[in-house]
Amino acid sequence: MLVEKQKELMISMKNRKKYLIGIFQDEDMILNAVKSVCKAGISIFDVFSPYAVHGLDEAMGIKRSRLPIVTFLAGLTGGLLAMLLQLWVFNIDWPIIVGGKPFNAVPAFIPIAFELTVLVGGLVTVAAFLFRSRLGPGATPKLFDSEVTNKNFVLAIEQKDASLDINKVKEMLITLGATEVKEKEV
Amino acid sequence: MSQRDKKNQYWRSFDEKEQSPAFLKEVEEEFANGIPPGVDAETHEPLPVSRRDFLKYMGFGLASVAAACSPIPTEKAIPYLVQPEEIVPGKAYWYASTCFGCSSACGILVKTREGRPIKIEGNAESAINQGGLCATGQASVLELYDSGRLQGPLDQGKKVGWDNLDKAVLAKLNELQDSQKQIVFLTGTITSPTLKSTIDQFLSKYPNAKHVVYDAVSASGILDAHEFIFGKRILPHYRFDKARTIVSFGADFLGTWISPVEFAKQFSRGRKLDQKNMSQLYQFESGLSLTGANADIRVPLLPSQIDSSVLGLLECIETGEIKSAPQDNGIRSQIKKTAENLKKNKGRSLVVSNSNDIDVQNIVVRINQILGNYGHALRIDQGSNQKKGHDKSLDRLVHDMKNGQVEALFIYGNNPAYSYFDSKSFVEGLEKVSLKVSLDNRNHETAQLMDYHAPDHHFLESWGDSEPVEGVFHISQPTIRPVYSTRSIGESLNNWMGIKEDYQDTVKKYWEDQVFPYSGQLLFDSFWKKSVHDGCCKTNQFKPVKQRDAAQVISESVKQILKKSKMLESKQGWEIHLYESVALRDGQSANNPWLQELPDPITKLTWDNAANISSKDAKKLNVKQGDVIAIKVKGRTYKLPVVIQPGQASGSISLALGYGRTKAGKVGNGVGQNVYGMLNGSNANWNYYVQNALVSTTGTSEKLALTQTHYSLEGRPIFKDATLNQYKSDPAAGNKDQVDLVMLWEQHKTEGHSWGMAIDTNACIGCSGCMVGCQSENNVPVVGKEEVYHRREMSWIRLDRYYKGDEENPEVAFQPMMCQHCANAPCESVCPVLATVHSADGLNQQVYNRCVGTRYCANNCPYKVRRFNWFDYAHNKSFDYYMNDNAGKLALNPDVVVRSRGVMEKCSMCVQRIQEKKLEYRKQGKPLNSDDIKVACQQSCPSDAIVFGDLNDPKSQISKLLHKNKRRYQVLGELNVKPAVNYLTKIRNKE
Amino acid sequence: MNCEKAFLEKPLIEGNKSFSQISDEICAPVERKPGKLWYISFFFAVSALTLGIVLVTYQILVGIGTWGLNKTVGWAFDITNFVFWVGIGHAGTLISAILLLFRQKWRTSVNRAAEAMTIFAVMCAGVFPIIHMGRPWLAFWTLPYPNSRGPLWVNFTSPLLWDVFAISTYFIISFVFWYIGMVPDLATLRDRATGKVKKFVYGLFSLGWDGSSRTWHRYEILSLILAGLATPLVVSVHTIVSMDFATSVIPGWHTTIFPPYFVCGAVFSGFAMVLTLMIITRKVLSLEEYITMKHIDCMCKIVILTGSIVGLAYMTEFFIAWYSGVEYEQYVFMNRAKGPYAWAYWTMVSCNVISPQLLWFKKIRSNLVFVFMLSIVVNIGMWFERFVIIVTSLHRDYLPSSWAMYTPTFVEVGEFIGSFGLFFTCFLLFARFLPVVNMAEVKGVLNVGRKTEGAHD
């Protein structure tokens, strides 16, 4: 389901679409609203909030992100490459006597290998995050409400099939505590 | 070029003479690409500095080989090892010559590269120094390139041509031809027989001519005593190697006295542990001297107590009882012990004194006579020529000058306006002399008062010879064309006598007449060639002296000494002891930056002289190190900073002579204080100590540029020693804390060679010659007083000096310390850019190019032997010593790079020398004999304390020396850094 | 941590604020023209920075000789300043990362500024290893890049090279952490911006943030990952810095206790510096209700803890020196306490060990003036700790022949002042153009509309 949503989202980037949005003022309400709307079988396009509302991902059925796997693989690569580079340099490319130490001075190679594990792991994870979330310099935000980065919690429902009774949903949102319900093309 | 001058100009071709149009055009085109440097753009005349610039532009390039320094400097000079057709660029040629850095006249080898001398080393063939050379001698190469030398003849301070100078001097001389007034030639000690005979010949033309010899630090007392007793004014030739008991009263024979390198060689030979007996040295002195530091038994005494102690020793030897020595039980018992020891070693002992008092020296002669030392440890049939000065004759000359009895004065090789104790009288007298000629090549304090200057060559530019000890001859040959427009003194005198002869021929003729007949050789030509090649020869010329028993004639001396010591007992005040410093000696070389920056081996002071006082006296005066005190002597006040010196006799203050020059040059001017004025010179010979000085504090203090400020070993096992008896019962005495250390990993194996060094601290006397040798070889910069004060001296090798025991009379330890080339070098593993790494043959290498200058290696060096280039020393007006100078740059060794700012440097174990020998042997297809490689410090060492070689070669000298040697230890060996430098424990011959 | 209980009783943010109030108040310093105080401070900071730049230029032109170092003491002010600044740089990441992992909510209003402090402190720290080189223009030689000089690499076994990697990694990761944490707030600023330029700039740097729940989800995970990476990083960086000394052979440096001791010292000095800055910032930017007395109280307690650990480390060093039986070791420590630099040692002890003990008293902890002074005293003490470790170990090591003294020159002192100039210039610019408090996180801990005990962190 998530993948489909994503696909739709991608299409929506190209052509503007109509959404029904409900604006809420606090996180308990939006959590409640999301749960109720899902229960009603209406698929939610997305919820926008000024901060991370906990429990929302579960309510919306968002699967746990796979970023940690990315971090693990990237970190492993970084660390291994660093260790291999150091071993290669001191054993093969340029074996030179330094301080009487053996060429395979592995303990001395650990600090740099560790640092590169962290560096590569961190940077790749950030890159993966930006890529996955389509964030980056120049990316245009999908703003349903100008106050979403300030105080408003926004629940957006895409009006894609006619079967959706807009008025009924509107009513439902108002009952759930929405201070404002409107239709918007984004 | 003015019309008038044209007549006097030389012409190169007829075209030039006729000024033909073709020639003029050619001249114009010659400079089509601009006027060459050093030539005035408008007048096309050479600028005043052109000669220097000439060297600058020509000195380095290949062109110089052809032009400035043509194949062999002077036509007939013969190189030491090979006779080249042409000079091969990049190859060093060695010439044998004589050192005239002081009057010891050691034999030297001069290393030249591309025609310029760059290093002076001792000549192993010389019977005098036998391969060693002192700091002063090695540093004298720098004076060759000193731009502060006179660069041409002067007439009343104005530059003239040599012809004009000769004309003017001759005109004056002709006027004096029949004058009954004196014509005086005032020189320092002249060891050159040829020059001596030339001067005599010159003076013989005038009816009332005199040759006055004057040494700033004289040995007149010894000469006078021998004249008094034996009827011949002669300086004995001392042989310290023949003595098993050596007693010295104030004579610093290892540092400065008469012929220190020769004596150090002899002394160290007598101290070898592998022979049956090791000599024992007793030193009675006031200030701690280098010799005192090496003494087995040292007795600190006030200067005035030394005279009566000498008498006490005589009494004790004669009767076993002491009557006259100082009323101090400690001193008396030491004298007694000394006497007993001397008596046990009759004929194998030596008593010397540096006193200039004829009475004291008479007693010393008597003691040596009783002990039967004449003919063994000191010889007068083959006496020494190294000190000839006659104090009274200078006093008389000054008296005569003041009375207007001197018509003409020639000076050469001395500087009385600076170093005569009554220089004021000398200068006053000089004003009454009508012809004043200086033949010195520096415009020093005395020379600048003269009318005419006929500057002599530097000794590396001229022919000459020397006879330091009768029957031992050295030759001196030019190794470069004169850098400046100077002329050898012999040639000047020849010219003024109207003799048209090269001085080279004069020397050769003298040798043919005076040396060759006694040489036992058949053909003069081959004798001459061999002599020039070897630099020295010996003759069997003996001039036996009639022995006389001194006992008959010394009773007056005994009375005098007793009278004097009685007088002294009632006197109050401080006693001042004046001494020559190891680096500057009498001050002639004060403009030499290497010597100014060479730390005194004892005080470790550079760029200054100070008042050395005992810690007891410092407490009494309430002064700290560096506080300035005022010393009032003979109505004059001298202000000097205090150095608190362990071993200094309480109540005495030691001051170094040779400082406080005012006309030495840009380096030496105003460094320290001139204390020659303190000399006691009334009636008798000049005394190098004064009584009744008044000392007061001034409340100010000065920065002291010391290279070592902490002298205690703090009980650390860094320097190891034992007494001779301990050593005899156990060779590992003092060296028992050796432990086997565990390695966490497998050690890298050295491939082929494994370079190492052994330093025998038992042989090292601390003379510091190695420091200048290293500086000269490795282009180590001079950084000046301020930087030394900041502890940034650059010397790659330093002489650590520690004191042990009683502060009043400590045991002294000298430990040469340079990069230890550790196998597990702590410096290497911390360098982030691999600028210091290890070679397969065991050298710790510093890669200047790669160094970024984090100084981490220096911090992590437990020996603190790494040196950082804090500034650009080579081309920097703030460090205008020699590297910033166009002429001075010529003294650099082209085999060693001049380091840039911001990089680390350190001892490389003279890797260039290793490489040179490696290549030489490879070319010959022979396996390398590592004993053939001599690193610079090792080469210069007069006591053979340093041995370098291949530790992997069991036949090498170093392997043999270290193999199973129980005295072997490594400094800080417990850190498991595995240094390649090994030390051997010091053995003291005492209880 | 026992702070937590106190915070559950009272809200973290005082004044019962609404979301928009928070946005308004925190964005206010960015949106309005700065006050006189800011301009005055900025003037002084830039002056100090200029002094530093002039002196560094002079020093690079003339040579390291313009410093007071010598053949025995090869490092002094330079590396002291380096370690000092790195140490200060530790609190920021620690507050953000470790406290995030430990789910300490009180960090939310101080972490942004603390992270900024980290970054600027690391910048200041990074300057010194570069300018302390004899040939700083070749500093890039410390990087292992392929080159045309044949096989020519760097020394991977050198602690200085570890430093190069550690410090640059630390800077990059800290910067990324700080920046990523700022993206939602930048979006807030973007949406509030009125001017075109502001909108564009904030728009550019907010990376198109729209507050989507999916992004927030990943964002939370990313924060945790970065925190998880940064925490060992903080520990590793100061461990590696301590290895500059610990892996050497110099008595007083060659000590296995150094890594934990340095890390604790770093946290100690870092928190002291955070205190200094927070007390100024809350006053100058009127953020008293965000950075409350509780924050200060909590940081004071960390200062006591770490200060005591540092004191314990000092004692351990002495004990081990005595216990080892190595005379060189023993001498170094006696020399610290009784030698020519004893004044520095006792300054260090009184500032670092004795003075923080006063914070046991609640009255003192709640006296802002006193806490402010104390935080400065601790920073002075920690600077002296590095000075004592570096200079007293070097100036009298193995061979007494090379023992020497060190005195700084005006160039060194001036460059140290210059580093403060750089730090405060950066910090003032940060306070002027970026939100000093993490709005998104503060909003998260407000508990607006939460009826249930949430799991917010």
Side-chain angles (χ1 to χ4, degrees), chain C residues 281-297:
Chain C
T281 312
R282 73 196 284 273
K283 185 87 197 146
V284 172
L285 301 182
S286 318
L287 295 172
E288 280 94 342
E289 285 165 334
Y290 296 89
I291 304 164
T292 64
M293 287 310 288
K294 248 129 266 139
H295 291 111
I296 287 162
D297 191 81

Side-chain angles (χ1 to χ4, degrees), chain B residues 931-964:
Chain B
D931 291 342
D932 242 18
I933 306 170
K934 289 228 182 311
V935 292
C937 52
Q938 171 191 21
Q939 204 290 326
S940 71
C941 184
S943 59
D944 302 315
I946 302 175
V947 177
F948 168 86
D950 185 356
L951 292 165
N952 277 356
D953 174 9
K955 274 183 249 151
S956 69
Q957 198 191 345
I958 185 169
S959 297
K960 283 184 205 153
L961 176 65
L962 292 177
H963 181 65
K964 285 194 177 162

Side-chain angles (χ1 to χ4, degrees), chain B residues 191-203:
Chain B
T191 50
S192 163
T194 310
L195 181 57
K196 179 110 195 13
S197 89
T198 310
I199 292 172
D200 289 345
Q201 201 187 340
F202 173 71
L203 292 177

Side-chain angles (χ1 to χ4, degrees), chain B residues 136-180:
Chain B
T136 317
Q138 296 185 73
S140 58
V141 67
L142 202 54
E143 280 151 42
L144 171 66
Y145 302 109
D146 186 349
S147 52
R149 266 207 289 155
L150 279 174
Q151 307 193 354
L154 301 176
D155 179 349
Q156 321 286 341
K158 273 183 228 117
K159 286 187 178 173
V160 287
W162 278 104
D163 292 350
N164 293 340
L165 180 93
D166 286 347
K167 261 185 230 159
V169 172
L170 275 173
K172 283 266 191 181
L173 279 173
N174 286 336
E175 280 171 33
L176 303 175
Q177 196 81 51
D178 302 315
S179 166
Q180 287 308 306

Side-chain angles (χ1 to χ4, degrees), chain C residues 228-301:
Chain C
L229 287 174
T231 306
L233 186 62
V234 176
V235 176
S236 83
V237 168
H238 227 68
T239 300
I240 287 173
V241 168
S242 82
M243 283 173 182
D244 281 347
F245 309 105
T247 61
S248 78
V249 298
I250 300 301
W253 282 12
H254 182 78
T255 318
T256 44
I257 197 182
F258 263 20
Y261 161 27
F262 266 54
V263 172
C264 259
V267 175
F268 181 48
S269 68
F271 269 87
M273 193 65 166
V274 173
L275 269 175
T276 315
L277 287 178
M278 288 304 118
I279 292 171
I280 302 175
T281 312
R282 73 196 284 273
K283 185 87 197 146
V284 172
L285 301 182
S286 318
L287 295 172
E288 280 94 342
E289 285 165 334
Y290 296 89
I291 304 164
T292 64
M293 287 310 288
K294 248 129 266 139
H295 291 111
I296 287 162
D297 191 81
C298 212
M299 287 193 278
C300 281
K301 285 174 184 169

Side-chain angles (χ1 to χ4, degrees), chain B residues 72-320:
Chain B
I72 306 166
T74 306
E75 241 180 307
K76 288 160 197 161
I78 300 165
Y80 182 56
L81 292 171
V82 279
Q83 196 169 350
E85 298 288 320
E86 287 290 335
I87 278 189
V88 180
K91 190 165 166 53
Y93 292 102
W94 295 81
Y95 299 90
S97 193
T98 312
C99 174
F100 289 97
C102 72
S103 56
S104 315
C106 297
I108 52 171
L109 296 180
V110 184
K111 181 187 186 183
T112 67
R113 273 291 299 270
E114 282 84 52
R116 56 200 167 86
I118 54 165
K119 190 168 189 300
I120 297 181
E121 297 188 347
N123 184 353
E125 311 271 321
S126 161
I128 301 298
N129 52 316
Q130 300 155 48
L133 196 63
C134 69
T136 317
Q138 296 185 73
S140 58
V141 67
L142 202 54
E143 280 151 42
L144 171 66
Y145 302 109
D146 186 349
S147 52
R149 266 207 289 155
L150 279 174
Q151 307 193 354
L154 301 176
D155 179 349
Q156 321 286 341
K158 273 183 228 117
K159 286 187 178 173
V160 287
W162 278 104
D163 292 350
N164 293 340
L165 180 93
D166 286 347
K167 261 185 230 159
V169 172
L170 275 173
K172 283 266 191 181
L173 279 173
N174 286 336
E175 280 171 33
L176 303 175
Q177 196 81 51
D178 302 315
S179 166
Q180 287 308 306
K181 285 190 182 173
Q182 293 174 26
I183 293 178
V184 179
F185 215 100
L186 177 62
T187 67
T189 295
I190 287 179
T191 50
S192 163
T194 310
L195 181 57
K196 179 110 195 13
S197 89
T198 310
I199 292 172
D200 289 345
Q201 201 187 340
F202 173 71
L203 292 177
S204 68
K205 294 177 79 179
Y206 304 92
N208 199 359
K210 255 200 324 198
H211 181 190
V212 174
V213 182
Y214 150 64
D215 290 321
V217 178
S218 84
S220 255
I222 305 173
L223 290 157
D224 291 347
H226 282 83
E227 187 174 22
F228 177 70
I229 291 166
F230 301 107
K232 194 179 170 202
R233 196 176 155 77
I234 196 159
L235 186 70
H237 182 220
Y238 298 98
R239 291 294 301 269
F240 288 88
D241 50 340
K242 303 240 172 182
R244 231 158 265 169
T245 303
I246 302 162
V247 181
S248 157
F249 290 93
D252 183 13
F253 62 85
L254 295 176
T256 54
W257 191 63
I258 300 180
S259 186
V261 179
E262 181 186 2
F263 296 158
K265 274 270 173 199
Q266 297 169 352
F267 179 71
S268 69
R269 208 172 302 139
R271 303 281 288 183
K272 287 257 163 12
L273 283 166
D274 49 12
Q275 65 199 13
K276 234 178 166 183
N277 277 303
M278 180 178 169
S279 72
Q280 193 169 26
L281 169 60
Y282 293 79
Q283 180 86 357
F284 296 79
E285 62 180 7
S286 313
L288 181 62
S289 71
L290 195 59
T291 312
N294 284 288
D296 298 302
I297 289 123
R298 177 177 177 272
V299 185
L301 288 171
L302 286 175
S304 63
Q305 293 176 323
I306 293 180
D307 298 356
S308 57
S309 299
V310 175
L311 188 55
L313 182 66
L314 174 65
E315 289 161 357
C316 201
I317 291 170
E318 278 183 325
T319 66

Side-chain angles (χ1 to χ4, degrees), chain C residues 343-363:
Chain C
W343 59 273
Y345 180 79
W346 292 109
T347 308
M348 166 189 105
V349 170
S350 34
C351 290
N352 291 353
V353 185
I354 299 165
S355 70
Q357 301 306 321
L358 295 172
L359 293 174
W360 285 106
F361 303 100
K362 187 151 176 86
K363 254 201 174 153

